[in-house]
Amino acid sequence: MFKKPKTQFQFYSENEVIDSTKTLSILSALLFLVFVFVDVWAIPSAFNEVVSTRLLVLVALVFTYFSTYHPSFYKYKDYVLSFIFLTTSLGIEYMVYKALPHEHAYSVYFVGLVLIIMTLYSWTYIKFSASLVVTFIVMGGYFYIENYTRAPEFSLTIFELITNLFFVTSAVVIGIVARLMRDKFIRENYLLQEALTQALEKKTEEAKDNEYLANHDALTGLPNRRYMTELLENSMQEAKEKDKVLVIMFLDLNGFKQVNDIYGHAAGDKVLKVVAKRLELAIRSGDHIARLGGDEYLIGLMMNKDHLGEAENMTEKFAAIIAQPMNIEGIRVRVGSSIGLSAYPIHGNQISVLLDIADKRMYDAKKGRDSVSMQKIIEERDNKVTVFPGKKV
């Protein structure tokens, strides 16, 4: 069977080729129908045979039109289009062959072949090699009819042959130039669209990057304070709807300043990234963690009201994870942590207030004072603590 032809022009889209073929089929069919009226004047001696020929060509054009809906059309488009051009050309040549010397079709219908040859190059998307093959077959058939099927007195003279050859060559040249100009336009249009698409994709990526940078800490990749506040607002709303408790942990590293002073800021940055990764892996799905800046981190935990005691265990877990030794540039480094807690709805229903409470209790823990155990928070819940004026929780 046929081998798949190589793609001749990478800038053509499949839909463009299919739509062009459909239009060409419809236009050719209409022209072939209209020219039936010309046949009455141009070739009355063989009118019935000519009409039959036109019907056969119309069937071929209809076949071409509907073949564009088949998935394999684009694969074999060179063969299909070559077939339809050969069919229409041979149909006209048959009319020239049947015409009597005194009839107009005897010489006038050659113009139809010239138009077909021009269209072959300027309209379609088949390869140049296929177009040349069709051209040689069509013109070879025409010159054979004129020189070997006519009586000597009605055959074309050398001058007429050269003139017709000039017309055909002109049609080929015009068709090729039109095709090259069309291809150049399509290429430039394609490249422009590609450039615009790439520019849009770049802008989109830049917007995403800017949005990411606006919401995340550049060093650790964790959410920053602004984004974390949004996440905690959403978690607090969820806690309200599901009758749960949102526990907020404010963490500050102990001994981090010494790491910076002794080993430098590069080592300090690596410590911050290691701690961030450890905490990120330790939290549960649905919980949130952020870096607020410096050596401060914030964690938001969703808890059932009956399981508030687990928060203290998680605090100890996070502190133990942070305290694990880490290898920073071949040096064994350890840091500790101070953690302060607050909880919604025990301490209020505003994230800013909950953060202030957790922050204050973190500093209390850093100074060696009572950082407020989870048991005390539970007692505060039972006593309905009021943490800011006018807001009874």
Side-chain angles (χ1 to χ4, degrees):
M1 288 297 290
F2 297 119
K3 293 182 180 179
K4 180 179 179 179
K6 296 180 181 178
T7 303
Q8 70 155 8
F9 194 64
Q10 61 180 337
F11 301 113
Y12 297 150
S13 69
E14 183 172 343
N15 287 337
E16 187 176 0
V17 174
I18 291 174
D19 291 341
S20 174
T21 304
K22 286 179 179 179
T23 303
L24 179 62
S25 301
I26 294 172
L27 181 60
S28 299
L30 290 175
L31 289 175
F32 254 75
L33 282 174
V34 169
F35 269 90
V36 171
F37 299 101
V38 179
D39 295 334
V40 177
W41 164 77
I43 185 170
S45 65
F47 180 76
N48 291 335
E49 293 179 69
V50 169
V51 171
S52 299
T53 302
R54 290 194 181 278
L55 289 176
L56 289 175
V57 173
L58 286 174
V59 170
L61 290 169
V62 171
F63 163 79
T64 303
Y65 177 85
F66 285 105
S67 69
T68 59
Y69 290 96
H70 195 278
S72 300
F73 169 78
Y74 189 76
K75 179 179 179 181
Y76 298 110
K77 66 181 185 304
D78 289 334
Y79 299 103
V80 175
L81 290 170
S82 297
F83 163 75
I84 192 59
F85 274 96
L86 282 172
T87 302
T88 53
S89 299
L90 294 177
I92 292 177
E93 289 182 352
Y94 178 73
M95 299 174 197
V96 173
Y97 169 74
K98 294 298 295 183
L100 297 176
H102 64 276
E103 292 179 320
H104 299 289
Y106 193 85
S107 58
V108 172
Y109 277 20
F110 173 75
V111 178
L113 294 179
V114 174
L115 291 175
I116 290 175
I117 294 300
M118 188 183 297
T119 304
L120 173 65
Y121 288 92
S122 63
W123 190 311
T124 65
Y125 294 89
I126 62 178
K127 294 184 294 185
F128 273 114
S129 58
S131 299
L132 289 173
V133 169
V134 172
T135 302
F136 283 123
I137 292 175
V138 171
M139 298 319 301
Y142 175 76
F143 287 123
Y144 176 81
I145 291 172
E146 292 293 342
N147 287 281
Y148 296 100
T149 65
R150 304 294 193 194
E153 64 272 21
F154 297 117
S155 299
L156 294 177
T157 65
I158 296 297
F159 178 77
E160 289 173 327
L161 283 173
I162 293 174
T163 302
N164 286 349
L165 182 61
F166 171 77
F167 286 142
V168 172
T169 303
S170 299
V172 171
V173 171
I174 293 172
I176 290 176
V177 172
R179 179 170 181 167
L180 292 175
M181 293 179 63
R182 179 199 66 185
D183 292 353
K184 180 176 181 293
F185 170 78
I186 293 175
R187 182 187 295 108
E188 292 175 348
N189 185 57
Y190 174 86
L191 293 175
L192 176 60
Q193 289 183 4
E194 284 293 298
L196 291 174
T197 300
Q198 292 176 6
L200 179 60
E201 290 176 351
K202 184 178 179 181
K203 287 291 184 182
T204 302
E205 289 299 321
E206 288 177 353
K208 290 181 180 178
D209 291 341
N210 292 337
E211 182 181 2
Y212 181 85
L213 292 175
N215 292 328
H216 293 80
D217 172 53
L219 179 65
T220 63
L222 295 178
N224 56 21
R225 177 185 289 269
R226 187 185 70 81
Y227 187 36
M228 184 62 165
T229 301
E230 293 181 13
L231 295 174
L232 292 177
E233 291 283 0
N234 294 334
S235 294
M236 187 172 68
Q237 183 61 33
E238 182 182 351
K240 179 179 180 181
E241 294 172 355
K242 296 182 179 180
D243 196 26
K244 291 188 176 184
V245 175
L246 174 62
V247 175
I248 293 177
M249 294 185 178
F250 207 114
L251 294 85
D252 183 85
L253 301 184
N254 299 331
F256 177 73
K257 182 178 184 301
Q258 288 81 347
V259 174
N260 265 340
D261 292 343
I262 297 172
Y263 302 112
H265 291 286
D269 287 346
K270 291 183 178 180
V271 168
L272 293 174
K273 289 194 284 187
V274 170
V275 171
K277 181 56 65 175
R278 287 179 177 181
L279 293 175
E280 190 175 17
L281 294 174
I283 64 173
R284 305 167 305 179
S285 175
D287 293 336
H288 302 295
I289 178 173
R291 179 186 175 221
L292 302 185
D295 58 350
E296 295 179 336
Y297 297 86
L298 190 66
I299 297 177
L301 307 171
M302 191 76 72
M303 312 284 296
N304 290 324
K305 287 184 176 181
D306 297 336
H307 299 158
L308 269 177
E310 295 179 5
E312 193 163 358
N313 295 333
M314 298 188 74
T315 302
E316 296 173 358
K317 172 186 173 182
F318 294 145
I321 288 173
I322 293 172
Q324 290 294 318
M326 57 189 80
N327 190 324
I328 304 297
E329 298 179 349
I331 302 170
R332 186 180 175 87
V333 175
R334 293 183 64 177
V335 293
S337 60
S338 298
I339 303 176
L341 303 177
S342 65
Y344 164 85
I346 302 166
H347 297 117
N349 56 7
Q350 292 185 8
I351 294 299
S352 59
V353 172
L354 298 175
L355 292 179
D356 288 343
I357 293 173
D359 186 20
K360 180 178 181 303
R361 289 178 171 176
M362 180 274 293
Y363 276 106
D364 287 343
K366 186 173 282 289
K367 293 176 182 179
R369 297 196 293 266
D370 183 9
S371 62
V372 182
S373 65
M374 208 64 223
Q375 181 59 38
K376 186 169 183 180
I377 290 180
I378 294 173
E379 292 173 358
E380 289 173 344
R381 176 196 66 185
D382 295 339
N383 293 331
K384 304 291 185 184
V385 174
T386 300
V387 294
F388 53 94
K391 298 291 184 180
K392 185 71 174 180
V393 182

